[in-house]
């Protein structure tokens, strides 16, 4: 339980000289067509394949939904929440309310975070204690997820939200297990079920890896075949990565940002090789200690990065820490986790969106 984002070669057509004047005239007429063929071949040679269409559909805002800027007071449009300012520095906004990219940060991809917000429900069907996913049957789960997602589309209709399944695929254990890595993988049947469930509902999937004593790259390779699906993305849970002799859940883990960047570049190459829609990688962080060399984590042209502030407790404290770890230490996008049963109070969507930068992903446990 927790705690403690191509060779087409053109053949050269050699036209033979002929004594027949009629034949010569015809050849002259055909020459432009031959040159056009060469030009078209060269063009095709230099063009990249067209990216497939986005494999998801955001939930349309309700007819009576009001733009976020219009629903906020003048003060709220100018200032960030007081508690975020406590650890996040300057209380004056540097980007408009609802903007998901910090000042000066760009997104050169065409990934799902660029124009949308994601709302995710976290967990595993193997445990009712690891999040809402394990508490509900799949279709009931999707119904509730869509209801929560709709609330964000209505709160900020300019950035419609996409329902997202965050499935724990490798879960940290207190015992070493047969492989000695303190990790148990969710069955392929369960992974397939939720990958297909998301496809059926035009949703996205986040495959969450918890590491144990295993490496980031070994875990990524374990879920690679599902990452080749257009709607499947990657999440890395840093706190459960422990050293030899330590136990997840008992000892606080840590991941080096350089190791995460290897995974980002691996997913980027996978996306290019398989002509997939652009992807994102979500990195969980609830305290500074669990993520070293954070500045090493950088997006690519086809992979977005989101750092998820992940912790439960007093919501005011969480807003302050979001300011510290996300606003003050921007990589690209920010994400924010909410615990239905442990946060006091559970923040309403508009309260979440008022933070700076506005979270591009909100996940619920």
């Amino acid at each position: 339980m927790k705690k403690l984002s191509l060779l087409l070669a053109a053949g050269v057509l050699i036209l033979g000289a002929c004594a027949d004047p009629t034949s010569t005239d015809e050849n002259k007429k055909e020459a432009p067509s031959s040159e056009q063929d060469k030009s078209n071949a060269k063009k095709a040679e230099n063009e990249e394949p067209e990216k497939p269409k986005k494999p998801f559909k955001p939930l349309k805002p309700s007819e009576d939904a009001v733009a976020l800027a219009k629903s906020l007071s003048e003060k709220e449009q100018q200032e960030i929440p007081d508690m975020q300012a406590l650890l996040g520095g300057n209380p004056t906004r540097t980007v408009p309310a609802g903007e998901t990219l910090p000042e000066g940060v760009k997104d050169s991809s065409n990934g799902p975070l660029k124009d949308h917000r994601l709302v995710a429900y976290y967990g595993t069907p193997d445990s009712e204690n690891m999040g809402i996913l394990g508490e509900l049957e799949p279709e009931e789960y999707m119904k509730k997820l869509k209801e929560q997602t709709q609330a964000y589309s209505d709160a900020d209709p300019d950035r419609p939200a996409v329902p997202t399944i965050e499935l724990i695929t490798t879960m940290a254990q207190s015992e070493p297990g047969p492989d000695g890595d303190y990790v148990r993988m969710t069955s392929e049947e369960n992974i397939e079920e939720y990958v297909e469930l998301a496809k059926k509902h035009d949703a996205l999937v986040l495959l969450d890896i918890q590491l144990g004593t295993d490496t980031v790259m070994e875990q990524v390779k374990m879920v690679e075949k599902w990452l080749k699906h257009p709607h499947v993305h990657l999440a890395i849970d840093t706190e459960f990565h422990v050293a030899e002799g330590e136990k997840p859940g008992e000892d606080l883990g840590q991941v080096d940002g350089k190791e995460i960047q290897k995974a980002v570049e691996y997913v980027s190459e996978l996306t290019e090789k398989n002509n997939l829609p652009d992807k994102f990688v979500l990195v969980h962080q609830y305290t500074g200690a669990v993520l070293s060399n954070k500045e090493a984590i950088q997006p690519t042209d086809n992979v977005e990065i989101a750092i998820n502030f992940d912790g439960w407790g007093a919501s005011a404290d969480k807003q302050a820490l979001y300011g510290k770890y996300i606003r003050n230490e921007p990589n690209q996008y920010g994400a924010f986790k909410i615990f239905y049963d442990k946060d006091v109070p559970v923040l309403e969507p508009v309260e979440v969106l008022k933070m700076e930068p506005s979270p591009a992903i909100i996940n619920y446990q």
Side-chain angles (χ1 to χ4, degrees):
M1 189 73 180
K2 277 181 185 298
K3 289 312 114 8
L4 253 146
S5 74
L6 142 119
L7 164 72
L8 175 64
V12 179
L13 178 60
I14 302 176
L15 298 177
C18 182
D20 186 337
T22 304
S23 176
T24 301
D25 288 343
E26 289 175 351
N27 286 337
K28 287 180 181 179
K29 293 177 181 178
E30 291 172 359
S33 177
S34 177
E35 291 302 318
Q36 185 65 45
D37 289 343
K38 292 179 184 179
S39 176
N40 290 341
K42 186 174 182 63
K43 181 179 180 181
E45 190 177 285
N46 293 329
E47 286 182 348
E48 294 182 359
E50 184 179 349
K51 280 281 189 182
K53 294 181 179 179
K54 293 180 179 179
F56 62 86
K57 291 181 181 178
L59 299 188
K60 293 182 179 180
S62 302
E63 291 184 3
D64 59 349
V66 178
L68 183 64
K70 292 184 178 180
S71 67
L72 300 180
S73 68
E74 185 175 344
K75 180 180 179 181
E76 289 172 318
Q77 292 183 48
Q78 295 174 351
E79 298 179 353
I80 62 174
D82 291 340
M83 290 308 299
Q84 185 183 1
L86 182 64
L87 296 179
N90 190 340
T92 303
R93 291 189 181 279
T94 58
V95 296
E99 174 58 58
T100 55
L101 282 172
E103 185 179 28
V105 177
K106 306 295 183 183
D107 184 352
S108 59
S109 79
N110 193 31
L113 304 182
K114 197 165 190 175
D115 300 309
H116 305 92
R117 183 171 278 107
L118 310 188
V119 177
Y121 270 3
Y122 177 95
T124 170
D126 295 332
S127 174
E128 295 182 0
N129 298 320
M130 288 296 292
I132 192 169
L133 186 149
E135 299 173 5
L136 303 171
E137 290 300 314
E139 288 297 337
E140 185 182 0
Y141 161 87
M142 282 304 305
K143 180 182 178 181
K144 189 171 181 65
L145 171 56
K146 285 184 177 181
E147 289 173 353
Q148 185 65 79
T149 304
Q150 186 67 55
Y152 282 90
S153 284
D154 292 346
D156 187 6
D158 293 330
R159 187 175 291 273
V162 182
T164 304
I165 298 170
E166 185 168 5
L167 175 68
I168 303 171
T169 48
T170 57
M171 184 163 59
Q173 305 290 298
S174 60
E175 299 297 328
D179 296 330
D181 56 9
Y182 291 86
V183 170
R184 177 169 61 86
M185 187 168 180
T186 298
S187 69
E188 293 200 0
E189 291 79 7
N190 278 339
I191 297 174
E192 290 287 350
E193 179 178 19
Y194 283 88
V195 168
E196 288 303 311
L197 181 68
K199 185 177 181 180
K200 174 184 175 181
H201 289 274
D202 298 312
L204 295 175
V205 179
L206 260 174
L207 299 184
D208 185 275
I209 55 177
Q210 292 192 346
L211 304 177
T213 59
D214 206 354
T215 67
V216 174
M217 282 309 305
E218 284 298 320
Q219 294 281 297
V220 171
K221 290 175 182 178
M222 288 173 65
V223 300
E224 178 179 333
K225 71 176 184 178
W226 293 290
L227 290 173
K228 291 180 181 179
H229 287 269
H231 65 300
V232 178
H233 305 262
L234 177 68
I236 303 173
D237 227 331
T238 55
E239 67 177 281
F240 295 110
H241 183 235
V242 296
E244 293 293 338
E246 297 180 337
K247 293 184 178 181
E250 293 183 11
D251 300 286
L252 183 62
Q254 183 184 78
V255 178
D256 191 318
K258 295 177 181 178
E259 297 304 308
I260 291 177
Q261 187 60 22
K262 290 179 184 178
V264 171
E265 293 170 2
Y266 191 86
V267 172
S268 183
E269 185 177 352
L270 191 71
T271 301
E272 292 178 353
K273 282 184 177 181
N274 294 277
N275 192 33
L276 296 167
D278 292 347
K279 293 187 177 288
F280 69 93
V281 172
L282 177 72
V283 181
H284 289 273
Q285 178 187 18
Y286 91 95
T287 186
V290 301
L291 186 56
S292 63
N293 292 316
K294 184 177 178 180
E295 67 281 356
I297 309 171
Q298 296 295 324
T300 70
D301 286 345
N302 53 21
V303 174
E304 301 166 316
I305 297 295
I307 306 297
N308 183 51
F309 176 68
D310 179 1
W312 56 266
S315 293
D317 294 343
K318 292 178 60 172
Q319 289 176 303
L321 290 169
Y322 180 87
K324 179 178 180 179
Y325 296 125
I326 308 301
R327 190 188 193 216
N328 286 4
E329 302 173 1
N331 292 72
Q332 194 178 31
Y333 290 98
F336 189 76
K337 192 165 193 178
I338 294 176
F339 288 74
Y340 279 126
D341 298 331
K342 294 187 174 183
D343 284 358
V344 183
V346 175
L347 293 176
E348 293 296 328
V350 69
E351 297 299 322
V352 176
L353 301 186
K354 281 161 55 176
M355 293 189 294
E356 186 186 56
S358 185
I361 303 172
I362 304 94
N363 47 6
Y364 287 80
Q365 182 166 334

